Amino acid sequence: MNSATQWFTGRNRRGIWIVVLVVVVGVVVGVAAIVWTDRSPRQSQQATPVLGGRFRISPQLDSAPAPRWTVRASDLSDEPGAVLLSAPHSLGRYYGYGGLMDAGTLIVAATAVPGSATGEAGLPVGPVRMHGIDPDTGKPRWTTDVGEVDGCGEIVLEGLLTCRGTHRVLIVDSATGRVLTDHTTDFEVMDIAVRDGVVSVAGRTADWQTAVITRGTVADIAATWRKTYPTPIPGEPVTPRIDAPDYFREGRDGKVRVFDLRSGELLFTAPVGHVFDGGLIATQVIDRSGSAGTVALLGRDGHRITEVANASFILEWYPAATATPLPILTGESAYDRTSGRVLWTNALIGLDDLTGRKGAIVGVVRDTVIVRSLDGATLSGLDLTDGHRIWQQPSPFANTSQFTRYEGITDASHLILTDGVTVQAIDGADGSPVWSMPLPPSGDSRLRSAVHAMGGRMVTTTAQEFTGYAAD
C-alpha cells in the first residue's frame, strides 16, 4: 500500500473527506491534485483506440488462449531431413532450433536440409525454402525456394522481406512469396532497408576498408545514387548500418559518423549509441566500469538537446500498445520522441544494481508503463502521461529474483509475460493477474520456450515446433 492509499484509508479518513469536500466547493484545482491517485485506468484504457505498438496481437485475451495449430518442419517441407531454421538471423546454418518472422498478416518460416559438420559453429545448410503461414490455421499459403541466404531483416516493413547473402540482395513479397528483387552485388552486403518504397543497401568492399551505400528502388537498388566512404582510420574495418528513414552510420566507440540517408552527406561525428524512430539520436559514453556512463539526446544536426539524468543502457525492446506516441523512456525520465523535451520524471523506470543502471520497463499497455522491481518481486504501473505510480502488485511469477528475465506481448489490454516456464497475463489497468498457463518444454536445454506476437496472434516457440493460439 503506497502513502497516498494510506492517506485515504487511515483512521483520520472521515476528517480527510470533509477537507476534500471543502476543497471541491472552494478550489477546483485541489480536486485535480488528489483525484489521480484514485483514477480508474481501466476506463481510460478502453476509451481510446491503439494507434501503434510493438509485439502486439489483435484478439483480446481475457482468458487463457487455446492452442489451435502446431507446425513442424515436416508440415512445411517435403525435403527429407529438412529442419526449421532460426529466422530471421541464421539462414545459412542450423543451430538446432527454429525461429519465425512476423510479416503482419502472415507468419514466415524457413526450412533447409543441413549438411555435414565442418568444425565451425552450426551446420551449413543447403538451399533455403521460405513459407508464408496462415496465422489462423497454421497452413502454408505459399512456399518459395530462395537458394542460399545468410539472414533477413529483423522487422518486416511495407510487407517486404529484406534478405541478404554475402553478395546478394533478396526482396520477397511476404503476402505472396514472390521474389521482387534478386540482385548480385560487387560488395559485401551488411544491411538492407525499405521505407516508403525506397530501398537502401549498406555494405563494404572486399578489403573491408570502404563502405558502400546505395539508394534506389526494388527494381534497381542504385537508381538514385551509389556512394563510397573510405574508413577514417586506415586498417580499421568499416561496419555500416542503416537507421531508416533518416540516417545511416559507420564507426564505433566515440567516432561514429552519422550520414543523411536521403542525400548521403555527412551530418556529424559523435559517440552514437542509439537512433530513435522519431529522428532523435542518443550518444553514449560507456564508463570504464562497464556501466551506462553518460547519455545525451541529439537533434538531426548533432546539436545537444539534453543530457539524460542517471543514465541507463537504452533498449526499446518491450511490448507496447499506446493510443499516443510512445515517449523515449530512459534514465529516469520520459522524453518527447521528436523534440527531446522532458515530459516527466520517475526513477522507477530504471534499476540500479552492481553492474550499473538498466531499464526496468517490461511493457506499456495503453496509458500505463509497467516496471519491475530490482528483485523481481513486484510490478508497478506508472501513468504514461505524467509518470505517477497508479498501482503496485506482487509479481505473478514464482521464485523471482533480480536475474529473472521477462519476455512478452500485449493485446492492448493485458501484458502477457513469460519467464520461460509459465505465461502470466496481467491487467494493464490495475496490475491484477488475469490468467496463467504453462509453456511447452523447449526441447533444448540451451533454450527457453518463448511467447511471440506473430501475424497478429500469440505464438509459442520451442526448438522444433511453433504453436498458434486463439481466444478460448
Side-chain angles (χ1 to χ4, degrees):
M1 182 179 294
N2 60 31
S3 58
T5 305
Q6 292 172 340
W7 192 79
F8 276 103
T9 57
R11 68 181 128 176
N12 292 324
R13 178 171 64 245
R14 184 168 174 231
I16 289 169
W17 282 116
I18 292 173
V19 173
V20 170
L21 290 174
V22 171
V23 173
V24 169
V25 174
V27 186
V28 174
V29 174
V31 175
I34 60 173
V35 164
W36 64 259
T37 62
D38 194 34
R39 77 171 175 88
S40 175
R42 182 185 303 277
Q43 293 177 359
S44 64
Q45 288 196 6
Q46 298 299 332
T48 53
V50 173
L51 301 179
R54 64 175 73 90
F55 310 137
R56 178 162 60 96
I57 60 176
S58 300
Q60 183 168 313
L61 300 182
D62 294 319
S63 59
R68 286 292 184 264
W69 51 261
T70 295
V71 166
R72 301 173 182 84
S74 59
D75 300 314
L76 302 174
S77 176
D78 57 4
E79 293 184 287
V83 296
L84 292 168
L85 300 178
S86 183
H89 302 296
S90 303
L91 300 183
R93 291 185 173 274
Y94 178 58
Y95 294 93
Y97 54 90
L100 294 169
M101 289 181 277
D102 178 17
T105 58
L106 284 179
I107 300 168
V108 178
T111 60
V113 178
S116 59
T118 62
E120 300 179 42
L123 295 175
V125 300
V128 175
R129 286 183 174 179
M130 288 187 175
H131 313 269
I133 301 171
D134 187 315
D136 292 321
T137 66
K139 302 296 183 183
R141 291 187 186 172
W142 55 259
T143 292
T144 300
D145 293 320
V146 296
E148 296 182 0
V149 291
D150 296 328
C152 300
E154 178 80 44
I155 300 173
V156 178
L157 294 173
E158 302 186 17
L160 300 179
L161 305 172
T162 54
C163 305
R164 65 191 179 280
T166 305
H167 295 283
R168 187 184 184 197
V169 174
L170 178 71
I171 299 177
V172 179
D173 185 328
S174 66
T176 64
R178 185 165 66 94
V179 174
L180 303 178
T181 289
D182 191 352
H183 181 80
T184 301
T185 66
D186 60 356
F187 58 89
E188 178 186 347
V189 178
M190 302 186 72
D191 202 3
I192 307 168
V194 180
R195 287 286 185 94
D196 302 322
V198 178
V199 177
S200 302
V201 180
R204 60 188 178 186
T205 52
D207 62 2
W208 294 7
Q209 296 298 290
T210 302
V212 181
I213 311 295
T214 68
R215 182 124 167 124
T217 64
V218 171
D220 182 356
I221 65 170
T224 305
W225 51 257
R226 169 178 167 144
K227 297 186 178 183
T228 57
Y229 304 86
T231 178
I233 304 174
E236 182 170 304
V238 293
T239 54
R241 59 171 296 179
I242 299 169
D243 296 298
D246 300 307
Y247 313 105
F248 67 91
R249 51 183 156 141
E250 193 287 314
R252 60 186 179 86
D253 299 332
K255 296 182 179 180
V256 177
R257 296 181 293 170
V258 179
F259 298 85
D260 186 311
L261 184 57
R262 295 175 178 84
S263 68
E265 298 302 313
L266 177 66
L267 297 174
F268 61 90
T269 300
V272 173
H274 191 85
V275 176
F276 298 98
D277 54 16
L280 294 184
I281 295 170
T283 62
Q284 185 154 32
V285 179
I286 298 175
D287 189 84
R288 290 183 178 180
S289 66
S291 63
T294 59
V295 174
L297 298 182
L298 308 182
R300 178 175 175 78
D301 59 358
H303 73 279
R304 180 182 294 259
I305 296 174
T306 185
E307 185 166 320
V308 174
N310 201 7
S312 57
F313 287 103
I314 299 170
L315 182 63
E316 292 196 308
W317 203 249
Y318 43 76
T322 59
T324 57
L326 182 66
I328 297 169
L329 300 164
T330 189
E332 56 183 30
S333 298
Y335 301 84
D336 183 274
R337 190 165 285 272
T338 55
S339 70
R341 179 173 60 90
V342 177
L343 302 176
W344 48 263
T345 295
N346 188 325
L348 290 176
I349 68 171
L351 299 171
D352 294 302
D353 63 14
L354 295 177
T355 60
R357 189 164 176 81
K358 59 186 179 182
I361 299 167
V362 292
V364 182
V365 182
R366 291 190 185 269
D367 54 5
T368 304
V369 181
I370 300 172
V371 298
R372 58 166 287 170
S373 61
L374 178 60
D375 61 6
T378 60
L379 298 176
S380 298
L382 312 180
D383 191 299
L384 183 61
T385 59
D386 62 17
H388 78 270
R389 187 166 65 186
I390 54 178
W391 55 258
Q392 180 174 302
Q393 296 276 9
S395 170
F397 294 96
N399 304 316
T400 58
S401 74
Q402 69 181 93
F403 305 107
T404 302
R405 181 165 55 91
Y406 299 130
E407 296 171 345
I409 60 176
T410 180
D411 63 0
S413 294
H414 307 95
L415 182 60
I416 300 165
L417 296 174
T418 177
D419 60 355
V421 179
T422 65
V423 181
Q424 304 284 344
I426 63 171
D427 191 317
D430 58 18
S432 59
V434 179
W435 54 263
S436 66
M437 56 178 275
L439 270 178
S442 71
D444 188 322
S445 59
R446 301 170 299 171
L447 302 175
R448 293 171 19 136
S449 297
V451 171
H452 300 281
M454 292 284 168
R457 301 293 186 269
M458 174 176 150
V459 176
T460 61
T461 62
T462 65
Q464 309 298 335
E465 62 186 33
F466 314 129
T467 300
Y469 292 75
D472 200 3

